[in-house]
Amino acid sequence: MHILRFLKTGSLVLSMALSLWATDYDVQKFGVKGDGVTVNTASIQYAIDYISDHGGGRLVFTAGTYRTGSIYLKSGVILHLERAATLMSTTNPFDFVKDEDINWMSMIFAKYQKDIGITGEGGIDGRGFETANNMLNYIQRGLFDDKLLWDRPREPNRPQNIYFRECENITITGITIKDPASWNQTYDQCVNILVDGITVDSKSYWNNDGIDIVDCDGVVIKNSYFDAADDVICFKSHDPDKICQNIVVDNCVGRSSANGLKFGTVSRGGFRNVKVTNLTIFDTYRSAITFAAVDGGIVENIVVDGVRSINTGNVIYLRIGDRWSKGKEPVMKDITIRNVYAEVPLGKPDAGYGYEGPIEDLPRNISPSSIVGLPNHRIENVTLENIEIVYPGGSDPFYAKVGLTPEELDNIPEMPAKYPEFSQFKELPAWGFYLRHADGITFKNVTLRAKNKDYRPAIVMDDVKGALFKDMEIEEPESEQNSKEQIFQYQSENIRID
Amino acid sequence: MRCISRLEIRIIFKQIVKRLLVELAEIPMRPKIGGMLNSTFLMIKLNCETRTMNKIQPTEYNRKRNRTIKSLFTLCLMMLLMFPLTGQNYYASLFGIKSDGKTLNTTSIQKAIDYIHEQGGGTLEFYVGRYLTGTIELKSNVTLHLHEGAVLLGSTNIYDYNIESKYTALVYAKNASNITIQGKGVIDGQGREVAYHLIDQIHKGIIKDQLKYDRPARRRPSAIYFRECDDVAVKGILVKNAAFWVQIYDQCDGLLVDSTMVDSKAFWNNDGMDIVDCKNVRITNNYVDASDDAICFKSHGPDHIGENVLVRNNVVRSSANGIKFGTVTRGGYRNFNIVNNTVYDTYRSAIAFTAPDGGFIEDIWVDSLYAYNTGNPIYLRNGERWGDKGPGSIDNITIQNVYAEVAAEKPDTAYEYEGPIEDLPRNISPSGIVGLVGTPITNVSLKNIKIIYPGGSNPNYAFRGTEPEDLDSIPEMADAYPEFSQFKELPAWGFYIRHAEDVSFENVELIAKEADYRPAMVVQDSKNISLKKVDFKEPGKKKKELHTYQSENVKRRP
Amino acid sequence: MMIRIFIFTIVLCFNWGLSVQGKDYKASLFGIKSDGITLNTGSIQTAIDFISQEGGGRLVFYVGRYLTGSIELKSNVTIHLEEGAVLVGVPSIYDYYSAGNFRSLLYSKDQANISVTGKGVIMGNGRSLIKSRNEQKKNGYLPSNSKDGLPGLVQFVNCDSVVLTGIILTESGGDVVSVHGSNHVNIAGLTIKNKGYSARGMTLSGNRHIALTNSYFETDGIELEFLSKNQDLRIDDTKNEFGEILKRP
């Protein structure tokens, strides 16, 4: 209901705004050159300021390659990139601004502006590999202060392609966004964002997130394709007093060497009123869908409907933690995930892509999907409906083993302050689902299939209060002959299996 | 006479046919063709059959006889060997060499070369594609054939090159014989990126270098560096973007660089080609566009000289000099024919002779030189940079059939790595023949020459008059780097001659387009200067165009 | 008078001493490129900011062409152009900023101890900038008031202890050198070659303790103009292309 209302007002505002942006300005008339060599930062900035001062309009980039450093988008200005027009980074980190308010570097900034956007069929190319490595060189020469985390410049010291902060009515449509040195595009505390029909192609350097929505209100992301080295569609909450809410993600395809659809990791305020429909995730190293409430924020009223997850390392991972909560109580409740088909491979799903995901948390066999709260912060009211997941099975207990004895189950660490990742516990005792510290879980018409025999049961519950399993189907070679118990309960109560 | 293998016969035959074809294509223009025949003679001595011949004194008669013998011998060989004559051909892919532009092929290409070398020789064939590689060493009897569309692409990582060697290069060879690079393909050194990577490593302290002039002094790779190689041919290819001198041929005997192109404005010191102490050289039909000297002869070894060199039918462009002898001239140069070359958009001299390091330049024949939009046409200069080596000498230089247009503005404007603006203030500099006190430049003949200067100098900006104190104030600069502009303002607009003997001008026309405050020619401290049919043209009121000072026997005849 | 000149000289020497005392930084350390096509504005500005923060020093440019837009000079930084080094202005009008009333390639405001030295060249690319400016005016994006005129080459506003020696300044669309409201200014051995432009060679106004010596002016505009009174102004051995000696007003 919330979402519907938002959608109506949102689209109304956007269409109104669109009709206002009538005037087109040819960027080359401002002396900007699309020769791929000339650095146009100052001239593009002048053009944006001029258009903003003259009632707004579209700054049109015709076919060509336009090199630039940091520019600031201003109210009423749309950057329109025509087909074969590319806005390209200079690759010199000294051409980029680290904005004082935003505390990050970016190619296209906007702060405190409204009615802005980037449209067209052209592209933005951050040339991130070169820019990041140039930055690294300057840091190592002692010209730029950065302690280097994991031998990389810290994320804010590498330019993103787009960083909008506290803006209203943003339109991002049609464009291709490539290869930043850091995250691709961040919308931070913005209101009313439409992202439609964009392509993200970004495997140029570490932390190449596809899209990051931070503490925004009113977001539509649809008809878009993401291929990124880090998380592809990522919602974050950096401010404990803000919240990321009223979000629609529809008809998107993603590929990642981290997670597909992710809420978190930074989750100080939280996320609510989210509807994700018709999502395809493939060749993805970590989870297709993951929700993390590890910094005291809330996650509530989430619907994920219609997911195809092909060749992904993990399917669903829900996690409450207690990392940077600072006394706040993390909450995760009212989550519905339905109509999911997923295939988990035996091998590395992102093998061969640039900047492959790190091999870590070994030894472990293929990890199950998981819903893991904390003893005092429980995940509540999760419904999984019409779901089929195909696992490879075939775990090797001599390589890694966690059995079903109380000691073994109790020995699984709680890890409240650790970075939440589906593999964080190393080996888990189930091959299909592992549930812990969760209340009110419903599995309706869920099929779990292991292609090979696994030493573990399909589902393990530890400290679960109230669960309903209806129309469950579990397939594993030789399990019926051995009458293997596939749903295992430990310290749990009120479990119904129909 | 020892027994020769079939392979040796093949190689010998190939060489002879090659030489013959080249020679047939080049009818020597110089009436005294000793140099040409001499080079032929020296080349044929490489072959074991004619080993006895090199004891014969190369008199004119013997030369002719040798040639006849050689031709007969060749004919016989041709009759005998009617089978495929080149070594075997090998596809690059046979050795796992990848054309994707990303795979680093250094070790695969090296393996291929070593293998072909061990098999007795042959051709490594690169077809269309980009072949990324670090330093590879070419070995005897191996040909690299870069077919049209094939690019031998230099790695941008400085550590992929032989930086601990004195001969840092993408393609390197030492003590090899019968090596060839041919085809319509490209060698691209990616020199700018390599230099930037090297500079980065220097700034981080990993590599030690003083960064003189803010550039690495050592370790910048050339595209080609052949040292002490015999029988070298580089044909047809385009050589691009080195980090240093583009091509270096150092103490080689028997060198052919034919129909190649050089396009290199990638970094400082991009000389088009440096021919160092080589003998029996042909530089023919090349096009060179380089940010430093285009075709450059050097003499690094005090015990070595460059000799028997033909430079013919080349078109060059440079942000330094077009054709240059020096700067480093320890041994010297003898017997060069420089015929039918064109220089354009060139910042410094179209042709420069510099001998500042004790070496000599003698018996040089320059015929048919065309220079358009050049900063300076002709500059001859000896010096004494390093005291213990004594002064250099320049003797017996003939320059004839020259047409030159000197630029009013900077001639290399808008080329990358433009030549440096220096030695200011000065108005447009004249051509110069500037020797040393006690070591004059001797026997220079200039004939059939037309040079057009812009004129229009401003004496308030820079002034050098013709009064004795003005002329005496021109510094000697014996130990300075020799460059046409080194004296800053000079007192003539056409030719400045100092410390020279036996210089003759015949049928020479010097034209200033605008009035100049200076005379056309100043002769200072020189002897036996003859001017026959020399014409000075300058607009404005008539003035004395020839000024002599402290000179003897300066004769001007109509 | 003698005493004043003497003190002035001492002050200058002292300042000069200060400004050369700092470390030398080669341009390449900051990734500044000498190829003539890389726009170095960001890198040069970073270098100046860095050197100023580190307590001062010289940023040394060796032979080469360094393309740049406007650069702000900061306290205790010397730009040193070795012979053959050319700072080349980028041919796009919007790459220029100003400290005062008009744009300039090098500008400085409210700074102390700043120098531009060496035998190198600052080349304004004025011809291209006139084209760029006219085009922008024609397109209506650049208002036609004086504030958006053509950039000069060097501009000091309200600075203290300024040294400008040896360099050659050429092809400037705007007034080549302007010094306003500054204190202790030593300009020596400059060559201003700016034929073909209507711009003025040098404007000096409201400065105190300023010396212009041993310089050469070749301009189509007014060579040397004093917009308001300068206190303790000394001009020696400075002439124009016709050999005329330039004098105080």
Side-chain angles (χ1 to χ4, degrees):
Chain A
M1 199 50 219
H2 256 304
I3 292 167
L4 268 180
R5 204 182 313 133
F6 145 71
L7 268 180
K8 268 183 194 157
T9 47
S11 58
L12 200 67
V13 169
L14 284 169
S15 58
M16 273 170 61
L18 272 169
S19 63
L20 285 172
W21 297 324
T23 323
D24 275 3
Y25 295 86
D26 178 356
V27 74
Q28 301 208 355
K29 286 241 170 92
F30 288 90
V32 173
K33 293 195 171 54
D35 56 8
V37 179
T38 304
V39 175
N40 295 297
T41 317
S43 303
I44 297 175
Q45 189 61 58
Y46 186 92
I48 291 170
D49 294 351
Y50 179 89
I51 296 169
S52 185
D53 291 346
H54 289 77
R58 300 199 310 173
L59 183 59
V60 179
F61 292 75
T62 47
T65 300
Y66 301 84
R67 307 296 294 271
T68 184
S70 288
I71 50 175
Y72 281 80
L73 205 48
K74 301 279 172 70
S75 286
V77 181
I78 297 282
L79 299 182
H80 185 76
L81 308 170
E82 287 190 349
R83 184 184 293 240
T86 304
L87 207 52
M88 184 184 278
S89 158
T90 64
T91 74
N92 178 359
F94 296 149
D95 288 337
F96 292 88
V97 174
K98 186 169 180 182
D99 186 272
E100 288 170 359
D101 300 337
I102 293 170
N103 200 26
W104 209 303
M105 297 174 100
S106 180
M107 181 171 2
I108 306 171
F109 277 117
K111 51 181 190 181
Y112 324 128
Q113 307 296 316
K114 60 182 187 179
D115 306 328
I116 55 175
I118 308 171
T119 62
E121 293 174 72
I124 296 171
D125 186 348
R127 298 281 296 272
F129 181 79
E130 290 95 328
T131 313
N133 280 299
N134 287 339
M135 189 54 158
L136 192 56
N137 287 341
Y138 292 132
I139 291 165
Q140 279 162 341
R141 290 183 198 175
L143 301 177
F144 194 96
D145 196 22
D146 185 322
K147 297 280 178 287
L148 296 184
L149 181 66
W150 299 321
D151 209 5
R152 329 166 184 159
R154 284 167 187 269
E155 288 159 80
N157 295 336
R158 290 180 254 141
Q160 302 200 20
N161 279 334
I162 301 171
Y163 202 123
F164 290 175
R165 165 96 186 190
E166 289 175 62
C167 293
E168 251 177 78
N169 303 340
I170 299 166
T171 313
I172 309 289
T173 59
I175 55 169
T176 297
I177 309 178
K178 273 183 72 173
D179 295 348
S182 181
W183 305 354
N184 248 294
Q185 43 184 335
T186 300
Y187 306 95
D188 189 354
Q189 298 187 18
C190 295
V191 178
N192 290 353
I193 306 168
L194 172 67
V195 176
D196 188 358
I198 68 164
T199 303
V200 170
D201 174 7
S202 172
K203 299 161 293 269
S204 54
Y205 201 70
W206 297 107
N207 314 98
N208 271 191
D209 284 10
I211 183 168
D212 289 275
I213 307 287
V214 185
D215 294 322
C216 290
D217 189 355
V219 181
V220 177
I221 302 172
K222 60 180 185 181
N223 308 325
S224 294
Y225 177 86
F226 300 86
D227 179 1
D230 212 329
D231 305 329
V232 290
I233 304 174
C234 193
F235 297 89
K236 289 181 158 71
S237 177
H238 286 170
D239 190 329
D241 302 325
K242 295 283 188 321
I243 195 159
C244 211
Q245 63 182 357
N246 304 330
I247 294 159
V248 172
V249 178
D250 178 41
N251 193 28
C252 288
V253 179
R255 203 301 303 178
S256 170
S257 284
N259 300 286
L261 176 72
K262 177 167 179 175
F263 290 76
T265 302
V266 183
S267 46
R268 289 200 177 92
F271 314 95
R272 71 174 167 227
N273 307 341
V274 178
K275 186 168 189 194
V276 179
T277 49
N278 195 14
L279 176 71
T280 301
I281 303 292
F282 69 100
D283 291 4
T284 288
Y285 181 56
R286 302 186 195 272
S287 307
I289 304 158
T290 178
F291 296 86
V294 294
D295 304 321
I298 61 164
V299 178
E300 69 174 7
N301 193 19
I302 313 279
V303 177
V304 179
D305 187 350
V307 177
R308 267 180 80 79
S309 162
I310 306 300
N311 195 31
T312 58
N314 185 253
V315 185
I316 296 164
Y317 187 60
L318 275 55
R319 174 71 172 142
I320 285 183
D322 194 357
R323 189 174 63 152
W324 305 334
S325 306
K326 293 184 180 157
K328 280 186 76 185
E329 302 275 319
V331 173
M332 188 179 292
K333 63 178 185 185
D334 305 333
I335 295 174
T336 302
I337 300 174
R338 59 177 173 245
N339 300 321
V340 176
Y341 175 79
E343 292 173 2
V344 177
L346 188 60
K348 194 161 188 285
D350 66 333
Y353 286 88
Y355 286 95
E356 273 186 33
I359 294 166
E360 59 192 13
D361 298 326
L362 296 183
R364 61 184 163 88
N365 291 297
I366 298 297
S367 304
S369 292
S370 303
I371 299 172
V372 184
L374 290 173
N376 51 341
H377 300 293
R378 309 178 69 83
I379 296 175
E380 293 168 67
N381 194 16
V382 177
T383 302
L384 302 167
E385 196 179 340
N386 300 338
I387 288 175
E388 180 177 353
I389 305 177
V390 182
Y391 286 98
S395 60
D396 179 356
F398 296 102
Y399 173 59
K401 181 170 189 279
V402 173
L404 301 172
T405 63
E407 304 85 71
E408 282 171 294
L409 294 177
D410 287 343
N411 266 343
I412 298 169
E414 296 289 351
M415 301 184 133
K418 213 197 155 210
Y419 193 93
E421 212 69 89
F422 77 101
S423 57
Q424 67 183 111
F425 306 104
K426 302 191 175 175
E427 182 73 348
L428 284 172
W431 60 260
F433 262 96
Y434 174 68
L435 314 175
R436 195 185 204 189
H437 313 309
D439 302 344
I441 307 295
T442 306
F443 278 63
K444 228 189 277 179
N445 189 24
V446 172
T447 301
L448 301 175
R449 194 174 288 148
K451 284 189 188 165
N452 289 296
K453 203 175 152 219
D454 206 295
Y455 80 88
R456 302 167 294 185
I459 298 174
V460 169
M461 281 177 281
D462 176 359
D463 185 27
V464 173
K465 309 274 188 314
L468 169 66
F469 294 89
K470 205 179 163 197
D471 302 326
M472 284 296 295
E473 204 176 307
I474 296 172
E475 291 176 21
E476 184 192 342
E478 299 172 44
S479 64
E480 273 168 43
Q481 296 94 302
N482 304 336
S483 33
K484 181 177 173 182
E485 193 192 355
Q486 290 286 26
I487 302 180
F488 182 84
Q489 304 174 31
Y490 174 64
Q491 295 181 334
S492 295
E493 55 197 65
N494 199 9
I495 310 296
R496 250 176 68 198
I497 303 172
D498 292 355
Chain B
M1 189 188 244
R2 72 181 173 93
C3 214
I4 51 171
S5 71
R6 211 166 95 143
L7 180 81
E8 275 178 289
I9 294 173
R10 263 195 229 167
I11 291 163
I12 291 157
F13 181 76
K14 200 175 123 195
Q15 289 168 3
I16 289 167
V17 169
K18 201 163 73 188
R19 293 284 129 64
L20 264 184
L21 288 176
V22 169
E23 297 217 348
L24 284 174
E26 292 157 6
I27 302 149
M29 283 192 53
R30 190 173 177 178
K32 191 178 87 183
I33 57 171
M36 297 297 309
L37 284 176
N38 199 23
S39 67
T40 309
F41 171 77
L42 284 164
M43 275 163 198
I44 202 151
K45 86 171 186 207
L46 292 172
N47 307 327
C48 54
E49 299 77 8
T50 54
R51 212 167 268 162
T52 47
M53 288 182 190
N54 64 6
K55 295 198 182 84
I56 302 167
Q57 279 300 312
T59 61
E60 201 69 26
Y61 169 76
N62 279 336
R63 282 186 197 128
K64 280 177 188 159
R65 203 186 60 165
N66 286 349
R67 192 167 188 140
T68 321
I69 291 169
K70 198 183 89 172
S71 303
L72 281 173
F73 178 69
T74 312
L75 215 64
C76 296
L77 267 178
M78 235 188 251
M79 311 268 277
L80 280 170
L81 311 169
M82 297 300 280
F83 48 81
L85 293 163
T86 45
Q88 208 177 326
N89 293 6
Y90 301 85
Y91 284 117
S93 63
L94 182 64
F95 302 90
I97 297 164
K98 302 287 192 296
S99 60
D100 59 355
K102 290 192 171 159
T103 308
L104 188 65
N105 289 302
T106 318
T107 45
S108 314
I109 297 176
Q110 193 58 58
K111 175 68 208 175
I113 292 169
D114 294 351
Y115 180 85
I116 295 168
H117 170 69
E118 282 156 20
Q119 297 296 308
T123 303
L124 181 58
E125 310 252 8
F126 292 86
Y127 285 89
V128 56
R130 291 163 68 80
Y131 299 86
L132 188 69
T133 181
T135 297
I136 50 173
E137 184 183 353
L138 206 49
K139 304 265 174 85
S140 292
N141 305 321
V142 178
T143 295
L144 296 184
H145 193 120
L146 302 169
H147 289 271
E148 191 161 14
V151 183
L152 200 62
L153 192 65
S155 162
T156 56
N157 181 350
I158 188 65
Y159 298 118
D160 286 335
Y161 295 87
N162 55 339
I163 51 174
E164 295 316 317
S165 160
K166 279 190 288 182
Y167 316 115
T168 307
L170 184 60
V171 183
Y172 150 79
K174 195 179 176 200
N175 293 322
S177 66
N178 187 30
I179 51 176
T180 303
I181 306 175
Q182 64 184 22
K184 288 186 174 173
V186 179
I187 296 179
D188 182 350
Q190 302 206 81
R192 190 173 298 177
E193 291 75 11
V194 181
Y196 288 168
H197 183 232
L198 174 57
I199 289 170
D200 179 61
Q201 291 302 299
I202 292 165
H203 280 305
K204 287 177 182 164
I206 309 299
I207 292 178
K208 298 277 176 277
D209 191 298
Q210 291 296 312
L211 283 182
K212 201 180 168 198
Y213 300 121
D214 217 353
R215 327 163 184 163
R218 293 185 52 224
R219 298 186 183 82
R220 276 185 277 148
S222 297
I224 297 173
Y225 200 140
F226 291 165
R227 164 91 184 185
E228 292 170 58
C229 292
D230 292 344
D231 201 6
V232 175
V234 177
K235 295 181 291 192
I237 57 167
L238 164 63
V239 189
K240 276 177 74 171
N241 299 343
F244 188 55
W245 301 348
V246 179
Q247 309 170 62
I248 305 174
Y249 304 98
D250 191 355
Q251 296 183 16
C252 294
D253 190 349
L255 168 67
L256 172 70
V257 181
D258 180 61
S259 303
T260 70
M261 288 197 282
V262 174
D263 175 11
S264 193
K265 292 150 302 229
F267 201 70
W268 294 106
N269 312 95
N270 270 191
D271 285 8
M273 58 183 83
D274 286 278
I275 317 292
V276 187
D277 294 320
C278 289
K279 291 179 177 160
N280 307 319
V281 177
R282 285 177 183 71
I283 309 295
T284 51
N285 307 314
N286 300 288
Y287 172 80
V288 180
D289 178 4
S291 55
D292 212 328
D293 304 327
I295 296 177
C296 190
F297 301 96
K298 289 182 159 69
S299 179
H300 286 169
D303 307 322
H304 292 84
I305 64 166
E307 61 182 333
N308 303 336
V309 175
L310 173 70
V311 181
R312 183 162 168 163
N313 290 350
N314 300 288
V315 178
V316 303
R317 203 299 301 173
S318 169
S319 284
N321 299 285
I323 297 168
K324 176 170 177 178
F325 291 82
T327 303
V328 179
T329 304
R330 290 206 175 89
Y333 319 95
R334 181 183 291 131
N335 193 19
F336 279 54
N337 290 320
I338 299 174
V339 181
N340 196 29
N341 296 287
T342 302
V343 179
Y344 73 98
D345 287 5
T346 287
Y347 180 56
R348 302 188 195 270
S349 306
I351 187 159
F353 303 79
T354 68
D357 307 319
F360 62 84
I361 307 178
E362 63 183 39
D363 297 337
I364 311 291
W365 176 274
V366 180
D367 194 334
S368 304
L369 176 69
Y370 307 97
Y372 305 93
N373 195 30
T374 184
N376 183 253
I378 299 165
Y379 188 59
L380 282 73
R381 171 72 174 150
N382 59 346
E384 192 171 0
R385 280 201 297 189
W386 297 312
D388 56 327
K389 302 284 191 306
S393 66
I394 300 179
D395 182 40
N396 196 18
I397 311 291
T398 303
I399 301 174
Q400 63 179 22
N401 300 322
V402 175
Y403 175 82
E405 293 172 1
V406 178
E409 306 287 330
K410 196 160 184 287
D412 66 333
T413 295
Y415 285 90
E416 286 176 38
Y417 286 99
E418 272 184 37
I421 297 168
E422 58 191 14
D423 299 324
L424 297 183
R426 63 184 160 87
N427 292 296
I428 299 294
S429 303
S431 292
I433 301 173
V434 186
L436 295 174
V437 181
T439 315
I441 292 173
T442 49
N443 293 316
V444 179
S445 157
L446 297 141
K447 202 169 154 185
N448 300 340
I449 287 174
K450 181 174 180 177
I451 304 175
I452 300 169
Y453 290 93
S457 59
N458 178 352
N460 294 308
Y461 171 57
F463 178 79
R464 187 88 72 179
T466 48
E467 296 302 316
E469 63 267 26
D470 290 321
L471 297 178
D472 288 339
S473 73
I474 299 170
E476 292 292 343
M477 300 184 98
D479 57 353
Y481 190 93
E483 210 71 87
F484 79 101
S485 58
Q486 66 183 108
F487 304 103
K488 301 190 176 176
E489 184 73 348
L490 282 172
W493 59 259
F495 254 95
Y496 175 67
I497 298 162
R498 189 188 201 184
H499 312 311
E501 284 178 19
D502 300 306
V503 178
S504 72
F505 287 81
E506 188 182 339
N507 192 23
V508 171
E509 195 178 1
L510 302 178
I511 299 165
K513 285 207 250 182
E514 285 180 42
D516 205 294
Y517 80 88
R518 303 168 293 186
M521 191 183 286
V522 169
V523 180
Q524 180 177 356
D525 186 33
S526 296
K527 258 198 280 196
N528 305 335
I529 311 295
S530 112
L531 289 79
K532 192 176 163 191
K533 285 206 272 180
V534 173
D535 204 1
F536 304 117
K537 286 182 183 154
E538 183 188 348
K541 60 180 183 195
K542 255 200 145 41
K543 68 180 205 269
K544 192 182 161 198
E545 294 287 17
L546 173 65
H547 181 85
T548 59
Y549 175 61
Q550 294 179 333
S551 297
E552 289 172 34
N553 194 20
V554 179
K555 281 187 191 149
R556 187 172 177 190
R557 285 176 292 162
Chain C
M1 189 60 199
M2 276 311 289
I3 289 168
R4 203 197 271 175
I5 289 173
F6 179 63
I7 291 170
F8 177 42
T9 319
I10 286 196
V11 168
L12 268 180
C13 289
F14 182 58
N15 288 331
W16 173 256
L18 265 187
S19 60
V20 295
Q21 232 169 30
K23 216 178 137 187
D24 271 10
Y25 297 85
K26 286 177 174 162
S28 71
L29 178 65
F30 302 90
I32 297 164
K33 304 292 196 282
S34 60
D35 56 2
I37 56 159
T38 303
L39 184 64
N40 288 301
T41 318
S43 302
I44 297 176
Q45 192 62 61
T46 304
I48 289 169
D49 296 353
F50 182 86
I51 294 169
S52 185
Q53 277 162 20
E54 294 284 305
R58 300 200 312 169
L59 179 59
V60 183
F61 292 84
Y62 290 86
V63 52
R65 292 167 65 83
Y66 300 86
L67 190 68
T68 182
S70 276
I71 296 295
E72 185 182 3
L73 305 180
K74 303 270 177 78
S75 290
N76 303 316
V77 178
T78 295
I79 301 287
H80 184 76
L81 303 171
E82 288 280 335
E83 183 166 16
V86 186
L87 281 186
V88 183
V90 63
S92 151
I93 191 81
Y94 298 129
D95 282 74
Y96 294 84
Y97 309 105
S98 66
N101 289 328
F102 61 92
R103 302 157 189 263
S104 184
L105 188 63
L106 299 183
Y107 69 91
S108 188
K109 194 179 181 188
D110 304 326
Q111 306 290 320
N113 249 328
I114 40 180
S115 313
V116 184
T117 63
K119 287 181 167 183
V121 181
I122 302 179
M123 188 180 276
N125 223 336
R127 196 64 53 215
S128 306
L129 279 166
I130 288 171
K131 206 175 138 220
S132 170
R133 194 241 353 223
N134 291 348
E135 208 174 82
Q136 291 308 302
K137 278 189 173 171
K138 202 182 93 202
N139 292 343
Y141 301 142
L142 202 58
S144 48
N145 61 37
S146 63
K147 193 170 183 284
D148 291 298
L150 294 161
L153 297 186
V154 182
Q155 184 186 32
F156 296 107
V157 177
N158 300 333
C159 290
D160 194 42
S161 302
V162 174
V163 175
L164 190 58
T165 56
I167 54 170
I168 298 154
L169 300 126
T170 184
E171 290 181 33
S172 177
D175 295 346
V176 185
V177 175
S178 27
V179 186
H180 301 276
S182 294
N183 202 358
H184 300 303
V185 181
N186 180 17
I187 303 173
L190 283 199
T191 302
I192 296 180
K193 281 193 100 169
N194 214 41
K195 296 283 271 189
Y197 298 92
S198 58
R200 292 173 287 199
M202 188 180 289
T203 63
L204 304 174
S205 56
N207 302 296
R208 288 190 301 146
H209 312 304
I210 175 163
L212 165 62
T213 54
N214 190 27
S215 296
Y216 173 79
F217 286 72
E218 189 177 312
T219 59
D220 280 351
I222 297 164
E223 287 131 355
L224 182 55
E225 192 163 8
F226 308 94
L227 301 173
S228 66
K229 196 171 160 33
N230 295 282
Q231 280 182 34
D232 185 16
L233 167 69
R234 186 162 64 92
I235 299 177
D236 280 338
D237 194 19
T238 291
K239 60 179 184 174
N240 66 12
E241 58 179 306
F242 309 107
E244 297 161 357
I245 303 292
L246 301 183
K247 292 202 179 83
R248 291 167 53 188

